[in-house]
């Protein structure tokens, strides 16, 4: 499992993020406070506080490099 901080502060970013990760056969969790939601769920993402960075857990052993390249525009440095 890999964990990164991402920022989804606009509707377009949320749509682009979900489109990018749905191409992978892996599990993705977004964690904000005590809430954990499926990162492939647009409705779930909009239930979170998007004004600050969110923790993304990537449950994949094989496609990690490709996943990181796909989500690079959303990662908070």
């Amino acid at each position: 499992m890999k964990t990164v901080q991402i920022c989804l502060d606009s509707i377009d970013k949320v749509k682009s993020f979900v489109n990018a990760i749905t191409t992978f056969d892996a599990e993705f969790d977004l964690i904000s406070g005590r809430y954990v939601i499926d990162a492939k769920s647009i409705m779930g993402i909009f239930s979170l506080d998007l004004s600050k960075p969110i923790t993304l857990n990537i449950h994949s052993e094989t496609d990690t490099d490709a996943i990181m390249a796909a989500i690079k525009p959303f990662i908070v440095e």
Side-chain angles (χ1 to χ4, degrees), residues 39-73:
K40 293 181 180 180
S41 167
I42 289 178
M43 293 302 290
I45 293 172
F46 284 121
S47 71
L48 300 176
D49 179 5
L50 301 177
S51 65
K52 48 191 170 210
I54 305 168
T55 303
L56 172 68
N57 285 344
I58 304 164
H59 303 279
S60 176
E61 301 297 325
T62 55
D63 295 333
T64 308
D65 291 337
I67 293 169
M68 292 303 290
I71 64 170
K72 185 173 177 37

